[in-house]
Amino acid sequence: MSASTTQDRHREVLRAIIGLAPDGVAYVPSASIAPIIDGALEAQANGDLALVYPVSREEEAMGLVGAYPFAGKFGVIIMQDNGFGNALTALTTFAAAYHLPLLIVANTRGGLGEYNSMIHSISEPVPELLRSANIPVFRVDRRNPPEDWGATVKEAGNHAKMTFRPVTVLMEFYDHKDGKAKA
Amino acid sequence: MKRIEALRAVVDATSDLPVIATCAATSRELASIEDRDNHLYLLDAMGLAVSVGTGLAQAIEGSAVLRAVVIEGDGSLLMNPGAALTAGYLRPENLVIVLLDNGVYASTASIPTHAQQLDLGRIAEAVDLKVLQVQNTEELALALRQTLSENGPWFIHARTEPGNEPGIELLLIDPVVHGDRFRRWLSQRLHA
Ligand SMILES: [Mg+2]
């Protein structure tokens, strides 16, 4: 096992995103997934990803990436789970309502290892919020080995295309065995 | 000009281009002029038209479909102004945003918007969109011709009168069927 399982998880998730060959990747920042976003930008510079770009708010990403399937294309959104509140109207009344496949890869906050005293108020109910809106949720955490994180992201992307809808992967980075793990 | 007159000018210029229309009354009036397969109506996705148009512009780049046209309102743009920033940041040359600015939320009882005091064209200019100001249907038709032949990203700032056209029917569409109609129309042209 390498020095940091967290770094391995970042690497596997990035590899899975690249493997899906998305036509665009939109991101909203988060410290705990900064290595994935930086890696995606590097992959764009190397020609391994087509287009990687920031959005000002999560709902924008739902419109941008949600439009791709009309032209037979597919995109990925990288974000943090506290942004699902911002995203929900666009995610439901556009991407879900029009059956537009897209993949959202989001880190979780507000759980074990959290250092902010109010973020759990939005992050904790996110899985139920999404499921109650018929948005599928797949989760990975410290109990999943890094390759399973990658496999989950890859198959969630395929699942979005197979089922013609937005699909989310929630990644909980807390790991008591790894000092580099951040909430 | 009235909004429906502006929409007629857009319809006249866009028979062969994807047109994404913002919420409620704007989409309904557009459909009442002609409910064409190249129209995508966003009946409830508030403030999302510019984002969807920018994404579509990316997705059709390099294809036989030369422009993605967005019809947005002042109130709707103000709900998601970051969309204009991202359009300015990404600079899709094939994006044409037509802002129908009547200074009110016409679909919701004509409550005034920020556009009564703020110039949304100047905001668009500040984020590097190419802005054309138009006051009437002749100027709008000319502006559309220019944006369809010269590279953007374009932002046509069209001033319209407040109010909705009376007697327009509701758009009772199944979004899946509607979206699929648009997708089929587009895919035929993408591979033409
Ligand atoms: Mg208005």
Side-chain angles (χ1 to χ4, degrees), chain B residues 3 73-76 100-106 113:
Chain B
R3 179 173 57 208
D74 53 311
S76 181
L100 303 180
D101 183 354
N102 55 11
V104 298
Y105 297 100
T113 73

